[in-house]
């Protein structure tokens, strides 16, 4: 089948996520055909360095035969069985133990889901249910942040703070509140980073007092806001959030769908930012994106309440702990340990990535500021970086840059005017050099396009 045949089929029948399908159908979707290491190839044979690890998930890189073999073996052995009817199976039990062994603190119990959004729905229901068990069903308000992304189910959309999503498919789930995000470069004004971090964290206390401390179930936050543009909070932020949650006895949930499994150069972002969560939601890197699987790791406080409460938790998914996905996730964790992925990141690759990025991309006239930690980075594209002047809202600089990247062998995502990198964790130093070189070249092209369009 030629590319145009596939594009025609796709345009005829495929409704794409987060896409203006009408506009896409006119130009045709890019057809990705295979992957190896940190690269994917499209139907035209163009080789692209995947600076996004798929969608923040292919952490071990493409073409891992071990993962494919484990999946095939499990499919032959037991392709499916549920975990509802007082049954379990080897992959689910082993994976639960393996996850508990790598999560921080006392997150010793694992509830399985199929996607990050489902895991977030579990978080919403479980935090509320916990307080109901404790005799306080009125403690049912969840607090999250503006510009946070927690998925696309109605629960995930409601908990997330994306205005564009809230406008569609409303009404949203009630009893969810949002506070400001800790985006220092964009919103910090004259404040120091540390000051701003405290101000943003204290917005949580203000909100708690506004709605009444006795009505709040949990605060949910990504250790760093990924899809919101890689917004990395100031160092003062999380300790203050932690203190406020403790003060008002509010559950703290870290949504680590992106941060989990090495992205921030620790197994979990909670370790990087000093968070002691009552629950962690995870997906993506859990199976390196090879099969859909997600989980919520639950701390002893909530898990024991659930276990001691003599009743069913009426919640679960057909694919909770799916044996094939679980076998692949288990193998992913094994590979991460065997290949010392986290140690390699800490000792060598993450510092190299940070330095190289700042020395190259960071010097580009369009790049006003880089937020980065571990192997994830967000770059603010500015019209005039010396005066912190943004591009006009009618000129989509991010999309211009993203298109130049795609056409020149690099996948870099745009969130508004922020460009994002989150490459596979197995990337080598030479590949980081190549990534940075390509990024600078594409930024040069972007600059030329902006000038030609009269946006500069
Ligand atoms: C922090 C966070 N939570 C939840 C989700 C939703 O995950 P999924 O797309 O697997 O439903 C995402 C997806 O990017 C995410 O980044």
């Amino acid at each position: 089948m030629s590319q145009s045949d596939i594009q025609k089929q796709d345009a005829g029948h495929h409704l794409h996520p987060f896409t203006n399908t009408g506009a896409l159908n006119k130009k045709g979707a890019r057809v990705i055909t295979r992957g190896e290491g940190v690269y994917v190839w499209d139907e035209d044979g163009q080789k692209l360095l995947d600076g996004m690890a798929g969608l923040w998930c292919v952490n071990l890189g493409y073409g891992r035969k071990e993962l494919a073999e484990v999946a095939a073996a499990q499919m032959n052995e037991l392709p499916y069985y549920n975990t509802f009817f007082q049954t379990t199976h080897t992959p689910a039990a082993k994976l639960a133990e393996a996850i508990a062994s790598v999560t921080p603190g006392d997150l010793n119990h694992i509830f399985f889901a199929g996607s990050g959004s489902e895991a977030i729905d579990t978080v919403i229901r479980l935090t509320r249910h916990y307080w109901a068990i404790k005799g306080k069903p009125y403690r049912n308000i969840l607090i999250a942040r503006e510009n946070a992304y927690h998925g696309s189910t109605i629960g995930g959309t409601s908990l997330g703070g994306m205005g564009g999503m809230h406008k569609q498919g409303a009404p949203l789930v009630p009893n969810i509140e949002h506070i400001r995000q800790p985006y220092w470069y964009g919103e910090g004004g004259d404040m120091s980073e540390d000051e701003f971090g405290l101000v943003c964290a204290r917005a949580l206390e203000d909100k708690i007092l506004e709605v009444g401390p006795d009505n709040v179930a949990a605060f949910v936050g990504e250790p760093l806001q990924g899809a919101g543009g890689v917004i990395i909070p100031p160092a003062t932020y999380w300790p203050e959030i932690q203190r406020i949650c403790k003060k008002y006895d509010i559950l703290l949930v870290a949504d680590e769908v992106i941060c989990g499994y090495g992205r921030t150069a620790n197994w979990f972002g909670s370790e990087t930012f000093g968070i002691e969560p009552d629950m962690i939601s995870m997906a993506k890197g859990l199976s390196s994106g090879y099969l859909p699987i997600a989980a919520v790791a639950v701390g002893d406080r909530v898990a024991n309440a659930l276990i001691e409460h003599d009743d069913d938790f009426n919640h679960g998914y057909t694919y909770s702990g799916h044996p094939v996905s679980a076998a692949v996730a288990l193998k992913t964790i094994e590979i991460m340990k065997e290949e010392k992925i986290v140690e390699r990141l800490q000792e060598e690759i993450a510092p190299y990535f940070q330095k190289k990025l700042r020395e190259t991309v960071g010097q580009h006239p369009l790049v006003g500021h880089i937020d980065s930690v571990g192997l994830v980075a967000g770059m603010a594209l500015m019209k005039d970086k010396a005066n912190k002047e943004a591009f006009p809202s009618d000129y989509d600089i991010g999309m211009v840059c993203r298109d130049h990247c795609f056409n020149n062998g690099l996948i870099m995502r745009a969130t508004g005017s922020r460009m994002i990198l989150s490459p596979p964790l197995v990337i080598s130093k030479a590949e980081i050099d190549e990534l940075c070189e390509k990024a600078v070249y594409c930024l040069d092209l972007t600059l030329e396009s902006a000038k030609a369009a009269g946006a500069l």
Side-chain angles (χ1 to χ4, degrees), residues 64-321:
R64 286 275 185 169
K65 299 268 180 302
E66 316 94 292
L67 297 179
E69 281 159 9
V70 154
Q74 185 58 47
M75 276 202 185
N76 285 320
E77 179 87 20
L78 180 72
Y80 177 76
Y81 201 73
N82 72 70
T83 48
F84 282 37
F85 308 141
Q86 303 200 337
T87 54
T88 192
H89 42 68
T90 311
K94 279 194 168 174
L95 180 61
E97 188 188 62
I99 294 175
S101 79
V102 294
T103 46
D106 67 355
L107 301 167
N108 293 320
H109 294 84
I110 313 301
F111 194 99
F112 287 114
S115 68
S117 303
E118 284 183 7
I120 284 297
D121 278 25
T122 298
V123 163
I124 295 172
R125 297 201 60 208
L126 185 52
T127 49
R128 288 175 171 174
H129 182 54
Y130 167 78
W131 286 112
I133 291 173
K134 289 283 169 194
K136 296 183 175 177
Y138 43 85
R139 278 193 93 132
N140 58 30
I141 294 177
L142 284 100
I143 303 176
R145 295 174 297 187
E146 289 158 9
N147 196 35
Y149 186 73
H150 294 297
S152 189
T153 52
I154 190 76
T157 300
S158 307
L159 192 67
M162 299 281 175
M165 291 177 75
H166 285 183
K167 282 190 206 130
Q168 298 174 346
L172 301 173
V173 174
N175 289 11
I176 291 178
E177 299 281 339
H178 294 91
I179 59 170
R180 70 183 297 183
Q181 62 172 342
Y183 179 26
W184 175 71
Y185 180 72
E187 299 170 12
D190 295 333
M191 273 183 260
S192 72
E193 269 197 77
D194 282 357
E195 263 178 287
F196 183 67
L198 290 176
V199 165
C200 292
R202 286 176 190 153
L204 174 60
E205 187 155 31
D206 293 344
K207 182 58 81 178
I208 291 168
L209 295 173
E210 179 192 318
V211 299
D214 236 12
N215 299 321
V216 181
F219 174 73
V220 185
E222 304 158 78
L224 62 86
Q225 285 157 252
V230 184
I231 310 293
I232 301 180
T236 48
Y237 182 76
W238 276 113
E240 185 66 1
I241 290 280
Q242 183 87 56
R243 184 190 70 75
I244 293 165
C245 287
K246 279 213 170 96
K247 178 173 171 189
Y248 296 99
D249 196 23
I250 284 163
L251 296 173
L252 177 52
V253 183
D255 182 359
E256 298 232 23
V257 166
I258 284 176
C259 291
Y261 297 93
R263 181 53 59 195
T264 68
N266 280 299
W267 276 88
F268 288 89
S270 293
E271 295 158 89
T272 305
F273 293 98
I275 311 167
E276 291 166 24
D278 294 289
M279 290 182 205
I280 287 181
S281 47
M282 60 187 74
K284 299 190 187 271
L286 172 57
S287 66
S288 198
Y290 276 58
L291 279 177
I293 184 162
V296 180
V298 183
D300 287 344
R301 171 181 175 181
V302 175
N304 288 340
L306 201 64
I307 291 163
E308 283 156 21
H309 182 62
D310 188 20
D311 201 357
D312 291 354
F313 177 36
N314 296 315
H315 175 71
Y317 310 101
T318 298
Y319 299 128
S320 285

Side-chain angles (χ1 to χ4, degrees), residues 295-427:
V296 180
V298 183
D300 287 344
R301 171 181 175 181
V302 175
N304 288 340
L306 201 64
I307 291 163
E308 283 156 21
H309 182 62
D310 188 20
D311 201 357
D312 291 354
F313 177 36
N314 296 315
H315 175 71
Y317 310 101
T318 298
Y319 299 128
S320 285
H322 189 286
V324 183
S325 302
V328 169
L330 190 60
K331 190 70 189 168
T332 301
I333 294 175
E334 277 171 24
I335 293 173
M336 285 192 67
K337 287 182 179 171
E338 277 162 22
E339 296 185 8
K340 298 195 184 319
I341 299 284
V342 171
E343 292 84 342
R344 181 178 161 272
L345 283 174
Q346 287 174 354
E347 288 157 20
E348 205 183 343
I349 294 300
Y352 188 80
F353 174 71
Q354 307 285 330
K355 187 162 177 284
K356 190 81 195 177
L357 198 64
R358 286 190 159 68
E359 285 172 359
T360 56
V361 174
Q363 304 307 311
H364 195 275
L366 281 180
V367 176
H369 183 76
I370 297 182
D371 279 288
S372 70
V373 62
L375 218 56
V376 58
M379 292 148 274
L381 301 190
M382 304 299 280
K383 182 174 174 183
D384 175 357
K385 74 182 198 182
N387 294 305
K388 251 190 169 181
E389 189 190 342
F391 278 91
S393 57
D394 61 352
Y395 186 69
D396 199 345
I397 185 80
M399 279 303 142
V400 173
C401 185
R402 188 185 84 170
D403 286 348
H404 281 308
C405 289
F406 252 119
N407 293 331
N408 289 280
L410 174 66
I411 301 177
M412 196 157 49
R413 176 174 173 177
T415 295
S417 58
R418 289 176 70 78
M419 300 309 296
I420 290 165
L421 284 168
S422 171
L425 304 183
V426 292
I427 194 166

Side-chain angles (χ1 to χ4, degrees), residues 2-71:
S2 73
Q3 168 146 345
S4 58
D5 284 339
I6 295 167
Q7 285 179 327
K8 257 186 234 149
Q9 281 182 328
D10 198 78
H13 305 284
H14 186 179
L15 294 170
H16 287 247
F18 285 94
T19 296
N20 175 339
T21 299
L24 175 66
N25 289 351
K26 286 192 193 106
K27 77 183 226 207
R30 186 183 292 267
V31 183
I32 301 295
T33 54
R34 69 187 180 91
E36 188 63 43
V38 299
Y39 299 100
V40 292
W41 281 260
D42 70 13
E43 193 81 2
D44 290 337
Q46 192 193 190
K47 182 181 178 187
L48 296 141
L49 199 167
D50 186 3
M52 276 307 295
L55 208 42
W56 326 79
C57 52
V58 188
N59 289 356
L60 295 180
Y62 298 89
R64 286 275 185 169
K65 299 268 180 302
E66 316 94 292
L67 297 179
E69 281 159 9
V70 154

